[in-house]
Amino acid sequence: MQKMLRYGMVGGGNDGFIGRAHRHAIAVCERAVLAAGCFSIDQKINIQSGQRLGVEQNRIYTDYRQMAQAEGAREDGIDFVVIAVPNFLHAEVARCFMEQGIHIFCEKPLCFTLEEALQLEDMAREKGLVFGVNYGYPGYNMLKYARDYIRQGAIGRIINVNAEYLQEWMIDEVGQGEQAVRQLGTWRSDPKKSGPSNCVADIGTHIESTVAYVTGLKLTRVAAAMDTFGRPLDLNANILVEFEGGAHGVYACSQVCAGHYNGLVLRIFGMQGSLEWQQENPNVLTVCKKGQPTQTLQRAAGYITGRAAMLNTLPTGHPEGLVQAFANHYRAFMDAIQAIREGQTLAAEDMDFPDVTAGVNGVRFVEACVKSNANGGVWTPV
Amino acid sequence: MQKMLRYGMVGGGNDGFIGRAHRHAIAVCERAVLAAGCFSIDQKINIQSGQRLGVEQNRIYTDYRQMAQAEGAREDGIDFVVIAVPNFLHAEVARCFMEQGIHIFCEKPLCFTLEEALQLEDMAREKGLVFGVNYGYPGYNMLKYARDYIRQGAIGRIINVNAEYLQEWMIDEVGQGEQAVRQLGTWRSDPKKSGPSNCVADIGTHIESTVAYVTGLKLTRVAAAMDTFGRPLDLNANILVEFEGGAHGVYACSQVCAGHYNGLVLRIFGMQGSLEWQQENPNVLTVCKKGQPTQTLQRAAGYITGRAAMLNTLPTGHPEGLVQAFANHYRAFMDAIQAIREGQTLAAEDMDFPDVTAGVNGVRFVEACVKSNANGGVWTPV
Amino acid sequence: MQKMLRYGMVGGGNDGFIGRAHRHAIAVCERAVLAAGCFSIDQKINIQSGQRLGVEQNRIYTDYRQMAQAEGAREDGIDFVVIAVPNFLHAEVARCFMEQGIHIFCEKPLCFTLEEALQLEDMAREKGLVFGVNYGYPGYNMLKYARDYIRQGAIGRIINVNAEYLQEWMIDEVGQGEQAVRQLGTWRSDPKKSGPSNCVADIGTHIESTVAYVTGLKLTRVAAAMDTFGRPLDLNANILVEFEGGAHGVYACSQVCAGHYNGLVLRIFGMQGSLEWQQENPNVLTVCKKGQPTQTLQRAAGYITGRAAMLNTLPTGHPEGLVQAFANHYRAFMDAIQAIREGQTLAAEDMDFPDVTAGVNGVRFVEACVKSNANGGVWTPV
Amino acid sequence: MQKMLRYGMVGGGNDGFIGRAHRHAIAVCERAVLAAGCFSIDQKINIQSGQRLGVEQNRIYTDYRQMAQAEGAREDGIDFVVIAVPNFLHAEVARCFMEQGIHIFCEKPLCFTLEEALQLEDMAREKGLVFGVNYGYPGYNMLKYARDYIRQGAIGRIINVNAEYLQEWMIDEVGQGEQAVRQLGTWRSDPKKSGPSNCVADIGTHIESTVAYVTGLKLTRVAAAMDTFGRPLDLNANILVEFEGGAHGVYACSQVCAGHYNGLVLRIFGMQGSLEWQQENPNVLTVCKKGQPTQTLQRAAGYITGRAAMLNTLPTGHPEGLVQAFANHYRAFMDAIQAIREGQTLAAEDMDFPDVTAGVNGVRFVEACVKSNANGGVWTPV
């Protein structure tokens, strides 16, 4: 029987969106309780957040280093920590908790350089720790079914990929020049806080990780046209991609596309058929066998089989959303932790969450795109 | 500051869908913990369920009457109970916990007869208890916005309503005759377990409650054509409706419509415009001012104001689902409980959850439809 | 080999929409040329219209009676006449040309009373003339496929029908009272010009004729709620229907639904599956076998067989529109004329256009609805 | 008043799709009649086609050169000729009729080399002839409105373009090798018949011409990845594009994308808003002002103004299709011819059809893509 785990959170105070999303995802797993936290550098927010969430007073920490040590030392210390701090702190916080033997679930991006990413990957392996990185979209049920569908050969060899992630929210950044100070955009446009890329790193990597998950294809080269519109970092990018085996595709990502909110869309084309999935309508998968009518598949319908069929928390037609996608990853992540506690090994198939290697691949993809773009859009190895 | 509440659950064991949905909804409120339960009449399932959910051993009860008494007597007893047992037990369990001064959140239908429904309503009022009934669909953010939109006169006086709730799952019941024993359908086709109606009671009432919530219109008469296809109870119904003021509409509900899973769809037409909402794509609301282009509104977008704007847990384009809809109701429900604890009164506007009166109206609607149908479809007062 | 036919037109001058639609439909058949006409009672418009359309001067007639006689007498007189005059003149003009042995293609409604409709039906039969009535929507290819699909038993016995025809254009008529003079609405609200019904007669009958075509079901009873909103004639109607065999359905028609332009939508539900078709996206048919994914079928795709496959003028994905739907009917209509000329009989299957009997059925449906509504919505035989 | 023109057709016999589409488009203009033709090199088909279409016997020609001479010499000779022969003959036939002073409407591509294209452009200018090239998609009403919308600044400066044209029909060509003989594909894969490109030339150029029409942007550079899958010519291409002013975009075209039939889709993103149009649902235009709800605009609605409002042949909600799009071009083309006949000059604004320069641009685009691809996808000037 599953044991109720304990977890901690660094960041996520003041009702910030992403920290809350992690907590909700864990909550609907009904397998772990929030036991400790360091929710904000603002201590008032930190304490209020902890109290509101029912964390005991002495486990609301003023400093994440202190938290790592104290929790690492407790008999009933946290099993894993959720890292939901600003991007430039991810690596440091992760190292700190790994030192104490605490498993990690970290927001993306993992970090800013491939070198550091590989170090984190090594450290997790050496310490035998489970390390999730929140490339959360493959958590959606219908993408699990899509992956199985492709693996079973239902669409044949993949010959073209068309994927995009379009948003509108930074459109006012366009043409504002360096001086403009729009709060939201500012740190996103600051290489120190955001790393070498804004748009490709923030959402382009979601395309990369989601396509990789669904298709199993290895990306070999990219040719990127990234647009900064006068800002330090990119707000828009159109990227040609090439996969092992020679198939091509295009990844379009943008934060300046009016009318698009969180428009991650995948279209995978094979010799025998195709499939399409849209994040904003995630309970549906569209498939088409060549020469046949297009089919609309619904989550949890009787014809959905395999892993996707095991993850439903609601019947067909009762919408699941992003929280359930994240939860699907957390379940596998906690299975992996429990397996370690019980001295067992989880089957590769069941390690179904984005791990530190997914995080490394994200960093690798960003580096290749930035390099291609800097060199006039030349094809660049990933 | 909000206090963390304690709640109990009757039913919902063995990972049943609806009990789980309630727990998840409460979990994402981050305001209450599961402290007690009587999850199943099968004691093995009961105990396993309680343990898995982290309930203390001595608060996993073998009998709901015992649970009501014990929890009513505890200093740290549960603040409210979620009732997720089969329909015919709803009223009895609710009375039992109300006797102990425990607030109620009950699955629908409230009960089978108007008389009993009104008694429950009276009892809740007399005891000063908060009583929610899970007509959960108005919990969706975009329906809150729809309600405000109509209230503000944006579509003018309502002149036509077209609403439906179409499902497929009982299609194999058609023409099976009385003897057929299809597990799923059996109790749905048994008047003792399901009351005087199956389809109208199960999903037709969701149309009624959701339209009532969104439009504020009072239903005055119905003319119903209910189809049993040889079974004891209805599987399909087409119902003409009339509202106070004389406007007409049609409610179509069915459990035998191939290709439809949980297809609650509302279309409300006014003199100045219209709106449409589909439960299976709930983060979107379509509105149209007469003579203008149709607009697609997205949950959490900047132009969404009012109560709907306060309830978001995820940004625009990040799908919320049924759990968040239920959670929106639970938040208001818990606000009401907390207000009582603090000797305050909640503004009517903030009592934004389906209460026992919504439950009464559901029973009333079913009675009128059944009567109309029995009398050859004649217009019948509600 | 097909002979090029000659046709005349009564009405349709001044570039009126419906006359033009008829001419375009005939033009794309490439089987008939416009040889004569009486396009308007305004002689300036009449002559200009005829000249612009290339009609010889002496075959532009000032009066339709004169036209019928002259063309009936000519060796090279017109084979058929298209009647596109105001509704109240349809019957009179039709009789006039039938007297001269000229085949008829008449706009709907055929006339205002069942008695007159039956007389026209008799006259056509007695004179052996081909008589089309422009219930044009079944002309769409995908409805021909839908009909075949149902005939072949693909969705099983029909158990529910949900059809609608929603428009917005008369919304400003609501609540205007008798005195209001809105040009467009005025004759539509005048029983002398429009007959006993406006909305049901104008568009409700399209639902009736299209459902009848696709399903082959005979309508037995209706229960109608028609809304006049203070005008002499109906602008909105919700109608329960019953078919031979006992299945029920609902027909909703309205000219006051903001955001809807020409929204004829059919949804037919059977024991084994369902299908849906929308006039505003007519090249697509949605079908669903119970328990299976929903399929989207495209006009002219390889899997489309039968009559629908023979009528394509453009490949898949190249939109055909209303003109092609009308043309499909005109082709069969002209086949019927040619068969008569050659002393042959067309197979019933090939008489695939709405004939005078479809016109009679339309009148019959209107009469039943009007009667039901007048009697408080009681079920009324059709 | 408009004069009824006479036209001839080269090709288009045997009921071939594209010739028929031209004839239907001209027919619904009600401004020209088919007077002469050389419909096929197969004389039986040629004669049958001419007879069926009502062409006089002595104007059904066995050879297009003879036809050009004879018609050029007649008093009542054709005003223009429609060229619907295989691609490699377009230029030759066009020259032949231009020699006789006959206006030209030619299928695309204009020819295979830029040099020849420019010669044709020169010849048309020198002879003062109207020369249309059938890049037909900008003929759709809603693209005319889209163009005006952008011109009026409604979406601001364009910052990103995402356009595609996806088809499925050549999917079986993938991986077939040189020897495979699939009738349909064969000439498409034969550089002698198809020119230097198949997919980019056939449908990629439609993206180019349609985006150019709607945005008014000049394309400056392309970086193309074209996939032949072992065939002589491309079946799939993903192309990065750059416009004057520096904005980027992506054009994806393919004939091997299962589930797509004629999927031309344009999405244009500006600093103030965006618009989207899909050829398979052409009566609708989706627009979005930043920060506002997405709007769905319908052809012929009251809010549609400008040139788009003048071209409707059917009311809102009554689908127009590809024939009407072509017809819109033919109307402007015939206006231009008539203006010349009357010694007038048409305003640039009214020369609203794709002319020989559009044909030149198509050839130019293909050349740049082929060159880029041959050089490893390097950015290449157009």
Side-chain angles (χ1 to χ4, degrees):
Chain A
M1 176 148 169
Q2 295 171 351
K3 187 184 164 296
M4 194 60 81
L5 301 176
R6 295 179 199 89
Y7 78 99
M9 176 167 267
V10 182
N14 205 20
D15 220 30
F17 140 57
I18 197 67
R20 185 171 53 205
H22 282 273
R23 289 196 308 271
H24 289 190
I26 296 168
V28 303
C29 292
E30 304 189 318
R31 283 182 59 183
V33 292
L34 179 64
C38 171
F39 301 97
S40 177
I41 50 173
D42 178 325
Q43 288 312 313
K44 194 172 160 201
I45 291 174
N46 183 28
I47 290 166
Q48 279 184 346
S49 300
Q51 285 177 338
R52 188 178 61 72
L53 295 166
V55 179
E56 289 173 33
Q57 196 64 37
N58 66 333
R59 295 176 83 173
I60 304 173
Y61 299 93
T62 57
D63 183 279
Y64 66 84
R65 294 176 208 84
Q66 174 200 357
M67 172 177 164
Q69 286 197 334
E71 291 294 324
R74 287 179 75 114
E75 185 96 0
D76 65 347
I78 56 174
D79 296 288
F80 67 92
V81 67
V82 175
I83 302 175
V85 293
N87 293 351
F88 66 94
L89 284 170
H90 289 174
E92 187 180 325
V93 177
R95 277 189 297 265
C96 198
F97 281 82
M98 282 201 285
E99 283 295 347
Q100 301 297 330
I102 293 169
H103 304 290
I104 306 289
F105 205 104
C106 183
E107 251 311 307
K108 39 67 59 178
L110 180 55
C111 55
F112 294 161
T113 68
L114 184 54
E115 190 185 355
E116 187 166 40
L118 293 169
Q119 287 169 358
L120 289 165
E121 190 181 33
D122 285 346
M123 188 171 176
R125 189 177 338 102
E126 283 160 17
K127 292 194 169 281
L129 292 169
V130 187
F131 194 129
V133 177
N134 193 32
Y135 286 111
Y137 295 118
Y140 278 113
N141 267 22
M142 293 311 275
L143 288 184
K144 309 221 168 283
Y145 187 74
R147 186 189 54 161
D148 290 352
Y149 197 76
I150 289 173
R151 275 190 191 168
Q152 290 156 12
I155 66 168
R157 182 162 67 83
I158 292 170
I159 53 177
N160 192 36
V161 172
N162 190 303
E164 69 186 34
Y165 197 149
L166 304 184
Q167 299 181 325
E168 161 181 317
W169 69 292
M170 292 184 74
I171 192 167
D172 285 336
E173 298 284 310
V174 175
Q176 288 298 306
E178 302 266 348
Q179 307 91 320
V181 182
R182 182 161 163 270
Q183 183 62 28
L184 193 58
T186 299
W187 79 261
R188 293 269 177 198
S189 294
D190 179 354
K192 283 190 204 115
K193 299 253 175 80
S194 277
S197 158
N198 164 37
C199 178
V200 172
D202 188 29
I203 59 177
T205 55
H206 278 299
I207 303 178
E208 185 275 325
S209 68
T210 311
V211 171
Y213 178 82
V214 169
T215 65
L217 288 178
K218 188 173 154 35
L219 206 57
T220 54
R221 301 196 302 165
V222 296
M226 295 162 68
D227 300 306
T228 61
F229 304 113
R231 306 289 291 162
L233 294 177
D234 52 309
L235 294 169
N236 186 68
N238 291 292
I239 306 166
L240 298 182
V241 298
E242 188 174 292
F243 300 98
E244 215 165 48
H248 290 105
V250 62
Y251 292 174
C253 56
S254 181
Q255 294 156 329
V256 297
C257 283
H260 293 259
Y261 294 93
N262 202 39
L264 174 61
V265 178
L266 264 63
R267 293 183 292 172
I268 314 293
F269 299 100
M271 286 178 65
Q272 303 303 322
S274 67
L275 57 81
E276 174 170 352
W277 178 84
Q278 305 193 13
Q279 193 275 149
E280 297 195 7
N281 197 14
N283 294 278
V284 162
L285 177 70
T286 304
V287 304
C288 186
K289 298 293 185 81
K290 75 172 180 183
Q292 297 299 317
T294 297
Q295 296 188 322
T296 307
L297 278 57
Q298 299 275 349
R299 187 189 56 75
Y303 47 76
I304 300 292
T305 53
R307 188 168 179 84
M310 298 158 46
L311 296 171
N312 300 300
T313 56
L314 294 170
T316 312
H318 299 71
E320 289 188 359
L322 189 62
V323 163
Q324 282 77 22
F326 283 14
N328 287 338
H329 282 161
Y330 266 112
R331 271 187 216 102
F333 172 78
M334 291 193 267
D335 283 345
I337 291 174
Q338 187 156 342
I340 285 174
R341 296 173 66 109
E342 297 170 359
Q344 298 175 340
T345 310
L346 218 55
E349 182 61 26
D350 295 324
M351 296 287 288
D352 189 15
F353 63 92
D355 63 7
V356 67
T357 303
V360 170
N361 289 341
V363 175
R364 208 188 290 272
F365 175 71
V366 172
E367 282 203 356
C369 290
V370 169
K371 195 168 161 193
S372 169
N373 183 62
N375 292 329
V378 69
W379 281 102
T380 303
V382 176
Chain B
M1 174 146 172
Q2 295 172 349
K3 184 184 166 299
M4 192 62 78
L5 301 177
R6 293 180 201 89
Y7 79 100
M9 175 166 270
V10 182
N14 205 17
D15 219 30
F17 140 57
I18 198 67
R20 186 171 53 206
H22 281 273
R23 289 196 308 271
H24 289 190
I26 296 168
V28 304
C29 293
E30 303 188 320
R31 283 182 58 185
V33 292
L34 179 63
C38 172
F39 301 97
S40 177
I41 49 171
D42 179 325
Q43 289 311 314
K44 195 173 159 198
I45 290 174
N46 182 29
I47 290 167
Q48 279 184 346
S49 298
Q51 286 178 339
R52 189 178 61 73
L53 295 167
V55 178
E56 289 171 35
Q57 195 63 38
N58 65 334
R59 296 176 82 174
I60 305 173
Y61 299 93
T62 55
D63 183 278
Y64 66 84
R65 295 176 207 84
Q66 173 200 0
M67 173 178 162
Q69 287 197 333
E71 291 294 324
R74 287 180 75 114
E75 184 98 1
D76 66 346
I78 56 173
D79 296 288
F80 67 92
V81 67
V82 175
I83 301 175
V85 292
N87 294 351
F88 66 95
L89 284 170
H90 289 174
E92 186 181 324
V93 177
R95 278 189 296 264
C96 197
F97 281 83
M98 283 201 284
E99 283 295 346
Q100 302 296 330
I102 293 169
H103 303 290
I104 307 288
F105 206 104
C106 183
E107 253 310 306
K108 39 68 63 177
L110 180 55
C111 54
F112 294 160
T113 68
L114 184 53
E115 189 185 357
E116 186 165 41
L118 292 169
Q119 287 169 357
L120 289 166
E121 191 180 33
D122 285 345
M123 187 172 176
R125 188 176 340 101
E126 283 159 17
K127 293 196 168 281
L129 291 170
V130 187
F131 194 129
V133 177
N134 194 31
Y135 286 111
Y137 295 118
Y140 278 113
N141 267 22
M142 293 311 275
L143 287 185
K144 308 219 167 285
Y145 187 73
R147 185 190 55 161
D148 290 352
Y149 197 76
I150 288 173
R151 276 191 190 167
Q152 290 156 11
I155 65 168
R157 181 162 67 83
I158 292 170
I159 52 177
N160 192 34
V161 172
N162 190 302
E164 69 186 32
Y165 197 149
L166 304 185
Q167 300 183 324
E168 161 182 316
W169 69 292
M170 291 184 75
I171 191 168
D172 285 337
E173 298 284 310
V174 175
Q176 288 299 306
E178 302 267 347
Q179 308 89 322
V181 184
R182 184 163 162 266
Q183 184 60 29
L184 193 56
T186 299
W187 77 262
R188 293 269 178 199
S189 295
D190 178 353
K192 286 192 201 112
K193 300 252 175 80
S194 278
S197 157
N198 165 37
C199 178
V200 171
D202 188 29
I203 58 177
T205 55
H206 278 300
I207 303 178
E208 185 275 326
S209 68
T210 311
V211 171
Y213 178 83
V214 169
T215 64
L217 288 178
K218 188 171 154 37
L219 204 57
T220 54
R221 301 195 303 164
V222 296
M226 296 163 67
D227 301 305
T228 62
F229 303 114
R231 306 289 291 163
L233 294 177
D234 52 309
L235 294 169
N236 186 69
N238 291 292
I239 306 165
L240 297 182
V241 298
E242 188 173 292
F243 300 99
E244 215 165 49
H248 290 106
V250 63
Y251 292 175
C253 57
S254 181
Q255 294 157 329
V256 297
C257 283
H260 293 260
Y261 294 94
N262 202 39
L264 174 61
V265 178
L266 264 64
R267 293 184 292 173
I268 315 293
F269 299 100
M271 285 178 67
Q272 304 302 324
S274 67
L275 57 82
E276 173 170 352
W277 178 83
Q278 306 194 12
Q279 193 273 150
E280 297 195 6
N281 197 14
N283 294 277
V284 162
L285 178 70
T286 304
V287 304
C288 186
K289 299 292 185 81
K290 73 171 182 184
Q292 297 300 317
T294 297
Q295 295 189 322
T296 307
L297 279 57
Q298 299 276 348
R299 187 189 55 76
Y303 47 77
I304 299 291
T305 53
R307 187 167 179 83
M310 298 158 47
L311 296 172
N312 299 300
T313 57
L314 294 170
T316 312
H318 299 70
E320 290 187 358
L322 188 61
V323 163
Q324 282 77 23
F326 282 15
N328 287 337
H329 283 160
Y330 266 112
R331 271 188 216 101
F333 172 78
M334 291 192 268
D335 283 345
I337 291 175
Q338 188 156 342
I340 286 173
R341 295 173 65 110
E342 296 170 1
Q344 300 174 341
T345 309
L346 218 54
E349 181 61 26
D350 295 324
M351 297 286 287
D352 189 15
F353 63 91
D355 62 7
V356 66
T357 303
V360 169
N361 290 341
V363 175
R364 209 188 291 272
F365 175 71
V366 172
E367 282 202 355
C369 290
V370 168
K371 194 167 162 192
S372 168
N373 183 62
N375 293 329
V378 68
W379 280 102
T380 303
V382 176
Chain C
M1 175 149 170
Q2 294 170 348
K3 188 184 165 296
M4 193 63 80
L5 301 176
R6 295 180 200 88
Y7 79 99
M9 175 167 268
V10 182
N14 204 19
D15 219 28
F17 140 58
I18 198 66
R20 184 171 54 205
H22 281 274
R23 289 196 308 272
H24 289 191
I26 296 168
V28 303
C29 293
E30 304 189 319
R31 283 182 59 184
V33 292
L34 179 63
C38 171
F39 301 97
S40 176
I41 50 173
D42 178 325
Q43 288 312 313
K44 195 172 159 200
I45 290 174
N46 182 29
I47 289 165
Q48 279 184 346
S49 299
Q51 285 178 337
R52 188 177 61 71
L53 295 166
V55 178
E56 288 172 36
Q57 196 63 36
N58 65 333
R59 295 176 84 174
I60 305 174
Y61 300 93
T62 57
D63 183 277
Y64 66 83
R65 294 175 207 84
Q66 173 199 0
M67 173 177 163
Q69 287 197 333
E71 291 294 324
R74 286 180 76 113
E75 183 98 2
D76 64 349
I78 56 173
D79 297 287
F80 67 93
V81 68
V82 174
I83 302 174
V85 292
N87 293 350
F88 67 94
L89 285 170
H90 290 174
E92 186 179 326
V93 178
R95 277 190 296 265
C96 198
F97 281 82
M98 283 200 284
E99 284 294 347
Q100 300 297 330
I102 294 169
H103 303 290
I104 307 288
F105 205 104
C106 183
E107 252 312 306
K108 40 68 58 177
L110 181 55
C111 55
F112 295 160
T113 67
L114 184 55
E115 189 185 355
E116 187 166 41
L118 292 169
Q119 287 169 356
L120 290 165
E121 191 180 33
D122 285 346
M123 187 171 177
R125 188 176 339 102
E126 283 159 18
K127 292 194 169 281
L129 293 169
V130 187
F131 195 128
V133 177
N134 195 30
Y135 287 111
Y137 296 118
Y140 278 113
N141 268 21
M142 293 312 275
L143 288 184
K144 309 221 167 283
Y145 187 72
R147 185 189 55 161
D148 290 352
Y149 197 76
I150 288 172
R151 276 189 191 169
Q152 290 155 12
I155 65 168
R157 182 162 66 84
I158 292 170
I159 52 177
N160 192 35
V161 172
N162 189 302
E164 69 185 36
Y165 197 149
L166 304 185
Q167 300 182 324
E168 160 181 318
W169 70 291
M170 291 184 74
I171 192 167
D172 285 337
E173 298 283 311
V174 175
Q176 288 298 306
E178 302 267 348
Q179 307 90 321
V181 183
R182 182 162 163 269
Q183 184 61 29
L184 193 56
T186 299
W187 78 262
R188 292 270 177 197
S189 293
D190 179 353
K192 283 189 204 116
K193 299 254 175 79
S194 278
S197 158
N198 165 36
C199 178
V200 171
D202 188 29
I203 58 177
T205 55
H206 278 299
I207 303 178
E208 185 275 326
S209 68
T210 312
V211 172
Y213 178 82
V214 170
T215 65
L217 288 178
K218 186 171 156 38
L219 205 57
T220 55
R221 301 196 301 164
V222 296
M226 295 164 67
D227 300 305
T228 61
F229 304 113
R231 306 290 289 163
L233 293 177
D234 52 309
L235 294 169
N236 187 68
N238 291 292
I239 306 165
L240 297 183
V241 298
E242 187 174 292
F243 300 98
E244 215 165 48
H248 290 107
V250 63
Y251 292 175
C253 57
S254 181
Q255 294 156 329
V256 297
C257 284
H260 292 260
Y261 295 93
N262 203 39
L264 174 60
V265 178
L266 264 64
R267 294 182 292 173
I268 314 294
F269 300 100
M271 284 179 67
Q272 304 302 323
S274 67
L275 57 80
E276 173 171 351
W277 177 83
Q278 305 193 12
Q279 192 273 149
E280 297 195 8
N281 197 14
N283 295 277
V284 162
L285 177 70
T286 304
V287 304
C288 186
K289 299 292 185 80
K290 73 172 181 184
Q292 296 300 317
T294 297
Q295 296 189 321
T296 307
L297 278 57
Q298 298 275 349
R299 187 189 55 76
Y303 48 77
I304 300 292
T305 54
R307 188 167 179 85
M310 298 158 45
L311 296 171
N312 300 300
T313 57
L314 294 169
T316 313
H318 299 71
E320 291 187 359
L322 189 61
V323 163
Q324 282 77 22
F326 283 14
N328 288 337
H329 283 160
Y330 265 113
R331 271 188 215 100
F333 172 79
M334 290 192 267
D335 283 346
I337 292 174
Q338 188 154 342
I340 286 173
R341 296 173 67 110
E342 295 170 2
Q344 298 174 340
T345 309
L346 219 52
E349 181 62 26
D350 295 324
M351 296 287 288
D352 189 15
F353 62 92
D355 62 8
V356 67
T357 303
V360 170
N361 289 341
V363 174
R364 208 189 291 271
F365 175 72
V366 172
E367 282 203 355
C369 290
V370 168
K371 194 167 161 194
S372 168
N373 182 63
N375 293 328
V378 69
W379 281 101
T380 303
V382 176
Chain D
M1 173 145 172
Q2 295 172 350
K3 184 184 165 301
M4 193 63 78
L5 301 177
R6 293 179 202 90
Y7 79 100
M9 175 166 269
V10 183
N14 204 20
D15 218 30
F17 140 58
I18 198 66
R20 184 172 52 205
H22 282 273
R23 290 197 307 271
H24 290 189
I26 296 167
V28 303
C29 293
E30 304 188 319
R31 283 182 58 185
V33 292
L34 179 64
C38 172
F39 301 96
S40 177
I41 49 172
D42 179 325
Q43 289 311 313
K44 196 173 158 198
I45 291 173
N46 183 29
I47 290 166
Q48 280 184 345
S49 300
Q51 286 178 337
R52 188 178 61 74
L53 295 167
V55 179
E56 289 172 34
Q57 194 64 35
N58 66 335
R59 294 176 84 173
I60 304 173
Y61 299 94
T62 57
D63 182 279
Y64 66 84
R65 294 176 207 82
Q66 174 200 359
M67 172 176 162
Q69 287 197 333
E71 291 294 324
R74 288 178 75 113
E75 185 97 2
D76 66 348
I78 56 174
D79 296 286
F80 67 93
V81 67
V82 175
I83 303 175
V85 292
N87 294 351
F88 67 95
L89 284 171
H90 289 174
E92 187 180 324
V93 178
R95 278 190 296 265
C96 198
F97 281 83
M98 283 201 284
E99 283 296 346
Q100 302 296 330
I102 293 169
H103 304 290
I104 307 288
F105 205 104
C106 184
E107 252 310 306
K108 40 69 58 177
L110 182 55
C111 55
F112 295 160
T113 68
L114 184 55
E115 191 185 355
E116 188 166 39
L118 292 169
Q119 287 170 357
L120 289 166
E121 191 181 32
D122 285 346
M123 189 172 175
R125 189 177 338 104
E126 283 159 16
K127 292 195 169 281
L129 292 170
V130 187
F131 195 128
V133 177
N134 194 30
Y135 286 111
Y137 295 117
Y140 278 113
N141 267 23
M142 292 312 274
L143 287 184
K144 309 219 167 285
Y145 187 73
R147 185 189 57 160
D148 290 353
Y149 197 76
I150 288 173
R151 276 190 190 167
Q152 290 157 9
I155 66 168
R157 181 163 66 83
I158 292 170
I159 52 177
N160 192 36
V161 172
N162 190 302
E164 69 186 34
Y165 198 149
L166 304 186
Q167 299 182 325
E168 161 182 316
W169 69 292
M170 292 183 74
I171 192 168
D172 285 337
E173 298 284 310
V174 175
Q176 288 299 306
E178 302 267 347
Q179 306 90 322
V181 182
R182 183 163 163 267
Q183 183 60 29
L184 194 56
T186 299
W187 79 261
R188 292 270 177 197
S189 293
D190 178 354
K192 285 190 203 114
K193 301 253 174 79
S194 278
S197 158
N198 165 36
C199 178
V200 171
D202 188 29
I203 58 177
T205 55
H206 278 299
I207 303 178
E208 185 276 325
S209 69
T210 312
V211 171
Y213 178 83
V214 170
T215 65
L217 288 178
K218 188 172 154 35
L219 204 57
T220 55
R221 300 195 303 164
V222 295
M226 295 162 69
D227 301 305
T228 62
F229 303 113
R231 306 289 291 162
L233 293 177
D234 53 308
L235 294 169
N236 186 68
N238 291 292
I239 306 166
L240 298 182
V241 299
E242 188 174 292
F243 300 99
E244 216 165 49
H248 289 106
V250 62
Y251 292 174
C253 57
S254 181
Q255 295 156 329
V256 297
C257 283
H260 293 260
Y261 294 94
N262 203 38
L264 174 61
V265 179
L266 264 64
R267 292 183 293 172
I268 315 293
F269 300 100
M271 285 178 67
Q272 303 303 322
S274 67
L275 57 81
E276 174 169 353
W277 178 82
Q278 304 193 13
Q279 193 273 150
E280 297 195 7
N281 197 14
N283 294 277
V284 162
L285 178 70
T286 305
V287 304
C288 185
K289 299 293 185 81
K290 73 172 181 183
Q292 297 300 317
T294 297
Q295 296 189 322
T296 306
L297 279 58
Q298 298 276 349
R299 187 189 56 75
Y303 48 76
I304 299 291
T305 54
R307 187 168 180 83
M310 298 158 47
L311 297 170
N312 299 300
T313 57
L314 294 170
T316 313
H318 299 70
E320 290 188 359
L322 188 62
V323 163
Q324 282 78 22
F326 283 15
N328 287 337
H329 282 160
Y330 266 112
R331 271 187 215 101
F333 171 79
M334 291 191 267
D335 284 344
I337 291 174
Q338 187 155 342
I340 285 173
R341 297 172 66 109
E342 296 170 1
Q344 298 174 341
T345 309
L346 218 54
E349 181 61 26
D350 295 324
M351 297 286 287
D352 188 16
F353 63 92
D355 63 7
V356 67
T357 303
V360 170
N361 289 341
V363 175
R364 207 187 292 272
F365 174 72
V366 172
E367 282 203 355
C369 290
V370 168
K371 195 168 162 193
S372 168
N373 184 61
N375 292 329
V378 69
W379 281 102
T380 303
V382 175

